[in-house]
Amino acid sequence: MGKSTSTSNSREWTQIYAIYGMDQWQTLIFLLTQAILFSVLSIFYLLYFTTICNHFQHFLSSGTARFAAGFIAAVIVLSAVCLYFAAANFFYSAVPLHYDMANRIVSAVSDWSSVKLALDLGCCGRGILLNAVATQLKKEGSSGRVVGLDRSKQTTLSTLRSAVTEGVGEYVTCREGDARRLPFPDNYFDVVVSGVFVHTVGVGRRSAAEAAAERMRAVGEVVRVMKPGGVGVVWDLLHVPEYVIRLKELKMEDVSVSERVTAFMVGSHIVSFKKPTQHFIGPPEVRLDWRSC
């Protein structure tokens, strides 16, 4: 998928976290709070197991009462373990894994020296992927620039601050925009990348079909703004098979999908593709049977 670039092994996760922090930290706090609660319940059951069994014996036979108390204790302990695991996976996915996947996305582009303009769609994670692209442009001694597009002005400000911290502020521009109607002309970018963003397009729609159509519209917009011969690399959760179908409908070349990587407790993949160099007519209307995906 292209020549190798730096990986997360060259940086400690503490360094990454110090620069980028973590989005949706409330989710991590919620998971840890629930895990601690179930841990306390587990200790309570351990200390008062005999008393609980005696209480159950008012309604059940002695053997059944012990089995019921033991089963409940096992469920509580297992719940605590699962919640700790979920919290650890969420943190790992949001910080070290996100950084590693950003570098893998950059590696999927074989030649950065000729890239003049790149787009990071969504620039999630406070600019981890955006800055990885900017860092690669800087290494190549390129005069290229990368544009980060996000729905939130607050996010773009955080992203610009992190770019300055990473020493690539002059390579980065951020702006607000809608992924379903990108504020750029046709055939504008040499490279388009995105990390765990496209699946959020269409969230809140009344039906799965409407949400799928919105995601496919975003995929079509990615293709529209890419130059002929341009490269697209998208890392996302859950819906990558839909993207592959749509990209093939749009006659993209070299469509490939990476191995499965668990992120945020679900499967994720990187899909890469190339826009044909011949004359390209704008993407057709979305035609997606979401039930078949």
Side-chain angles (χ1 to χ4, degrees):
M1 293 180 69
K3 66 184 179 180
S4 176
T5 59
S6 62
T7 65
S8 60
N9 293 332
S10 63
R11 299 183 77 173
E12 296 291 336
W13 69 263
T14 50
Q15 294 177 305
I16 303 168
Y17 181 78
I19 295 172
Y20 296 101
M22 187 178 68
D23 292 327
Q24 298 179 333
W25 57 267
Q26 299 92 336
T27 302
L28 180 63
I29 297 299
F30 173 80
L31 290 171
L32 286 174
T33 301
Q34 296 299 310
I36 292 170
L37 174 62
F38 277 92
S39 297
V40 171
L41 286 174
S42 300
I43 295 171
F44 174 84
Y45 251 80
L46 177 64
L47 294 176
Y48 296 97
F49 184 77
T50 301
T51 303
I52 292 170
C53 287
N54 292 335
H55 178 73
F56 279 5
Q57 286 177 14
H58 292 297
F59 314 98
L60 304 169
S61 64
S62 177
T64 304
R66 291 187 67 84
F67 174 81
F71 179 78
I72 293 173
V75 170
I76 293 173
V77 171
L78 183 61
S79 297
V81 171
C82 289
L83 285 164
Y84 279 120
F85 178 79
N89 183 264
F90 186 89
F91 179 81
Y92 171 72
S93 300
V95 183
L97 179 63
H98 200 135
Y99 185 83
D100 180 64
M101 295 300 283
N103 283 286
R104 288 183 59 180
I105 291 170
V106 170
S107 300
V109 180
S110 59
D111 182 15
W112 283 97
S113 62
S114 60
V115 173
K116 299 302 180 185
L117 204 56
L119 171 67
D120 177 10
L121 182 64
C123 54
C124 301
R126 303 189 185 184
I128 291 179
L129 176 55
L130 184 77
N131 290 340
V133 171
T135 299
Q136 187 63 27
L137 291 172
K138 184 177 181 179
K139 285 180 179 179
E140 296 285 347
S142 170
S143 60
R145 297 291 183 270
V146 55
V147 179
L149 184 132
D150 197 273
R151 297 178 280 217
S152 168
K153 185 175 182 179
Q154 183 177 1
T155 301
T156 58
L157 292 174
S158 299
T159 301
L160 288 171
R161 285 194 293 268
S162 68
V164 171
T165 302
E166 291 279 37
V168 293
E170 67 273 22
Y171 291 87
V172 169
T173 302
C174 293
R175 63 179 298 175
E176 295 177 77
D178 187 341
R180 298 164 299 180
R181 292 176 290 275
L182 293 177
F184 307 107
D186 297 353
N187 308 321
Y188 193 64
F189 294 100
D190 300 292
V191 172
V192 178
V193 298
S194 183
V196 288
F197 171 76
V198 179
H199 73 280
T200 66
V201 177
V203 170
R205 290 292 180 180
R206 293 182 179 179
S207 69
E210 290 180 350
E214 296 284 86
R215 290 192 297 272
M216 295 309 98
R217 189 169 292 112
V219 172
E221 281 290 278
V222 167
V223 171
R224 179 184 66 80
V225 301
M226 286 172 57
K227 293 179 180 178
V231 176
V233 190
V234 175
W235 170 43
D236 210 6
L237 317 174
L238 301 173
H239 303 295
V240 170
E242 295 179 6
Y243 310 158
V244 172
I245 292 172
R246 182 60 176 150
L247 290 168
K248 290 181 177 179
E249 287 181 346
L250 295 172
K251 310 302 181 185
M252 293 297 100
E253 298 177 345
D254 302 330
V255 178
S256 64
V257 180
S258 72
E259 74 280 4
R260 182 182 187 274
V261 176
T262 301
F264 301 102
M265 301 298 292
V266 299
S268 74
H269 298 82
I270 294 175
V271 56
S272 60
F273 53 96
K274 182 178 179 181
K275 188 171 181 177
T277 54
Q278 66 267 30
H279 178 66
F280 182 81
I281 299 173
E285 293 298 318
V286 173
R287 296 181 290 105
L288 177 69
D289 182 359
W290 65 272
R291 294 169 294 182
S292 65
C293 298

